[in-house]
Amino acid sequence: YQSLGARGANNLTSKLMLALFPPGSPFFRYFMDEKVTEGQPPAAINAVRNGLAKIETKAALRAESMRSAIWQFCINLVIGGNAVFHMPLKDSPQVFGVHQFVCRRNPAGDPVELIVKETIYPTTLPPEMLAQAKLDASKLRHDHMMDLYTVVTWEGDKVTWWQELNDEVIGEKSTVPEDISPWIVSRWKARPGRHYGDGHAMENLGDLMSFEGLSKAVFEFAEVAAKVIFLDKPSSQTDIRELQKAKTGDFVQGSKDDIDVLQLEKYADFQVVDAVMQRLERRISEAFLLSTGTIRNAERVTAEEIRQVAQELEDALGGVYTVMAAEFQLPFTKRLLYVMQREGDIKPLPKNSVKPVVVTGFDALGRAHSNNRIRAFIADSVNLLGETALERIDANAVMTRLGTGYGVEDLEEILLPDDVVEANRQQAMMNQSMQQAAPGFANEMAKAAFKEE
């Protein structure tokens, strides 16, 4: 009877995607170990950084091709609280919702065992796998479906998985280091001592169910109210048949007091229902970051007020960003880089020289707060002190801080050094002085030439 929950889930998922995987921008950075950069000339370090930046850009472009799967993964987290992301070497990524798997975690919250259930057509499997499952291909119907189970275990720093069909192991067991595992099990909000996390929809289930119930009541009331029924007094002198046959403009003998309309005198009661629904809609909109339902209804709403509300809503996801960075973004990044290395898109890097670090989500939220504080400080200083405040602010330092906050690469190549800025300023002053002196100099030369003649 309402779609506010679905709209909120889609909106929250979109905001989460923009925060974790911003389009056209790398979601991680390579950080070089100090031992690698120690004693190296700046030119060599910059060359290495440029090479790493190209890898980061390639990885971001590759992740764009998986955006649909990542979106499905995120919305499963928002609604169900748990999801599995599978990134094989050759095939496209797969996403499994909480209704398709079971898992166990250790007290630290790390996965220990995972079982994924898929329903497949066994006739699509290779003959050797059907033989391993002890199935006769000639007796299988094309519309017959069976459950395929994938078992994944974590032991130490290794991840092992295999598949079972018809209670038989098919295919081969695979084992890889945990850092590059294709199986990523994540939660929306981690709960200590529990194998599963809570979804955002579950945390707001009370408001969603209340809003659904009231929406149903209003819909049913509107259905009854839309039904038009006329009442005829038992002692009426008006002929109902003639009234029904009459066309517009016809005259019919009778009295209007003989006819009445059945009405539901419940308008005042449903005003209470409408007020409660508005409060519930606002709470749900705030929970799912629907800004259209959180901005106050007034004639003048300033841009600063809208920005503050948006910032407060984004702050509410701070804990979620932390869990997502640890349980999804970083494992996803390591697996993505491994797959690209295996495919030859990027070259392997020396071990223990660089490491990928997530720079979106919670980290980006902190940088946004820092930039907002800088802007507010400068604006208040200028408003209170005027141009005097600008004379005491180092423009280069401010631009460096803002550029770092926005994640601008190679700031040293964009911002001019202090000596170059000073030289440009002196040159500009000299040019201005020459332009101001030029008219007077031309007049003196003209007067001198006139006297000589």
Side-chain angles (χ1 to χ4, degrees):
Y1 293 92
Q2 54 84 30
S3 59
L4 183 61
R7 188 157 56 93
N10 290 330
N11 179 75
L12 182 57
T13 302
S14 299
K15 286 185 177 292
L16 192 66
M17 287 281 294
L18 289 175
L20 300 179
F21 299 94
S25 177
F27 53 90
F28 73 96
R29 287 284 186 271
Y30 272 118
F31 279 80
M32 291 186 289
D33 190 274
E34 294 182 357
K35 296 179 181 179
V36 178
T37 60
E38 187 177 1
Q40 298 294 330
I45 297 176
N46 288 335
V48 173
R49 285 177 176 169
N50 291 333
L52 295 176
K54 292 180 181 179
I55 297 178
E56 296 163 3
T57 303
K58 281 187 178 180
L61 292 176
R62 181 63 179 271
E64 286 293 319
S65 64
M66 305 179 186
R67 205 166 187 83
S68 176
I70 297 174
W71 194 92
Q72 290 291 338
F73 178 81
C74 290
I75 200 168
N76 269 283
L77 290 179
V78 170
I79 299 174
N82 303 268
V84 171
F85 193 90
H86 179 220
M87 192 192 305
L89 283 175
K90 297 180 180 179
D91 299 330
S92 301
Q94 292 176 284
V95 177
F96 301 99
V98 70
H99 61 289
Q100 296 175 282
F101 70 90
V102 291
C103 72
R104 289 193 301 113
R105 297 177 180 270
N106 59 23
D110 300 322
V112 175
E113 185 179 15
L114 170 71
I115 300 176
V116 177
K117 175 185 173 182
E118 301 175 75
T119 303
I120 65 167
Y121 293 100
T123 52
T124 61
L125 296 177
E128 57 271 18
M129 285 191 175
L130 293 177
Q132 290 176 334
K134 298 181 180 179
L135 294 173
D136 188 353
S138 61
K139 297 181 179 180
L140 293 175
R141 301 194 312 269
H142 290 287
D143 59 346
H144 180 66
M145 303 186 73
M146 297 185 68
D147 293 332
L148 174 67
Y149 295 93
T150 304
V151 184
V152 188
T153 60
W154 283 260
E155 297 179 2
D157 59 349
K158 300 290 184 181
V159 177
T160 304
W161 68 94
W162 65 91
Q163 292 184 315
E164 296 182 9
L165 179 67
N166 196 31
D167 295 331
E168 300 290 339
V169 176
I170 63 173
E172 298 180 356
K173 289 188 176 181
S174 302
T175 302
V176 297
E178 185 179 9
D179 281 351
I180 57 174
S181 169
W183 298 95
I184 303 174
V185 189
S186 186
R187 299 166 288 180
W188 175 262
K189 184 168 288 186
R191 297 295 185 187
R194 291 176 56 180
H195 300 298
Y196 301 92
D198 291 338
H200 198 67
M202 178 62 68
E203 293 180 333
N204 296 275
L205 188 59
D207 284 348
L208 288 169
M209 292 183 66
S210 300
F211 191 74
E212 171 73 11
L214 292 177
S215 298
K216 180 181 179 181
V218 171
F219 176 79
E220 292 175 345
F221 167 77
E223 228 179 7
V224 175
K227 188 175 182 180
V228 180
I229 299 177
F230 293 98
L231 300 178
D232 179 30
K233 287 184 179 181
S235 59
S236 171
Q237 299 297 319
T238 304
D239 191 337
I240 301 301
R241 291 187 179 88
E242 289 187 14
L243 193 63
Q244 289 176 334
K245 294 178 181 179
K247 298 180 180 179
T248 302
D250 289 354
F251 289 90
V252 177
Q253 186 175 1
S255 174
K256 66 176 183 180
D257 295 332
D258 293 341
I259 307 297
D260 200 359
V261 180
L262 179 62
Q263 295 183 354
L264 296 178
E265 298 177 359
K266 300 285 292 181
Y267 180 77
D269 295 340
F270 271 84
Q271 288 294 99
V272 178
V273 176
D274 184 64
V276 175
M277 288 188 65
Q278 287 185 12
R279 288 199 294 269
L280 286 172
E281 184 175 1
R282 183 178 180 86
R283 291 213 301 254
I284 295 172
S285 298
E286 290 176 350
F288 288 92
L289 309 190
L290 285 168
S291 57
T292 54
T294 58
I295 304 301
R296 64 185 179 91
N297 186 14
E299 293 182 0
R300 295 184 179 181
V301 181
T302 64
E304 178 64 19
E305 183 177 352
I306 295 176
R307 189 195 61 77
Q308 288 180 355
V309 171
Q311 190 69 64
E312 289 175 2
L313 295 178
E314 292 292 335
D315 291 347
L317 290 178
V320 175
Y321 290 148
T322 304
V323 177
M324 289 287 287
E327 294 192 356
F328 177 60
Q329 276 186 290
L330 191 56
F332 173 83
T333 301
K334 292 180 178 179
R335 177 65 182 180
L336 178 62
L337 294 173
Y338 172 74
V339 171
M340 294 179 68
Q341 288 178 8
R342 287 288 300 267
E343 294 178 351
D345 290 344
I346 60 176
K347 296 181 179 179
L349 299 174
K351 291 184 178 181
N352 302 324
S353 60
V354 294
K355 62 178 181 178
V357 177
V358 174
V359 294
T360 57
F362 186 76
D363 186 71
L365 195 64
R367 293 199 307 271
H369 273 301
S370 178
N371 287 351
N372 290 336
R373 286 194 293 268
I374 294 174
R375 282 197 295 266
F377 166 72
I378 295 176
D380 289 346
S381 299
V382 173
N383 290 335
L384 293 174
L385 304 175
E387 297 296 329
T388 306
L390 294 178
E391 296 176 356
R392 302 181 63 85
I393 294 176
D394 188 343
N396 189 65
V398 171
M399 294 180 68
T400 302
R401 291 281 298 275
L402 291 176
T404 303
Y406 284 117
V408 179
E409 301 176 1
D410 302 326
L411 278 174
E412 64 277 0
E413 297 181 4
I414 299 175
L415 299 179
L416 296 174
D418 293 339
D419 54 346
V420 176
V421 174
E422 184 62 27
N424 291 341
R425 186 181 292 115
Q426 295 292 338
Q427 184 65 38
M429 293 176 61
M430 291 177 59
N431 293 339
Q432 186 177 5
S433 300
M434 292 179 63
Q435 291 176 1
Q436 293 175 352
F441 179 73
N443 291 337
E444 292 296 331
M445 292 294 293
K447 290 179 181 179
F450 182 73
K451 288 180 180 180
E452 292 178 0
E453 293 178 359

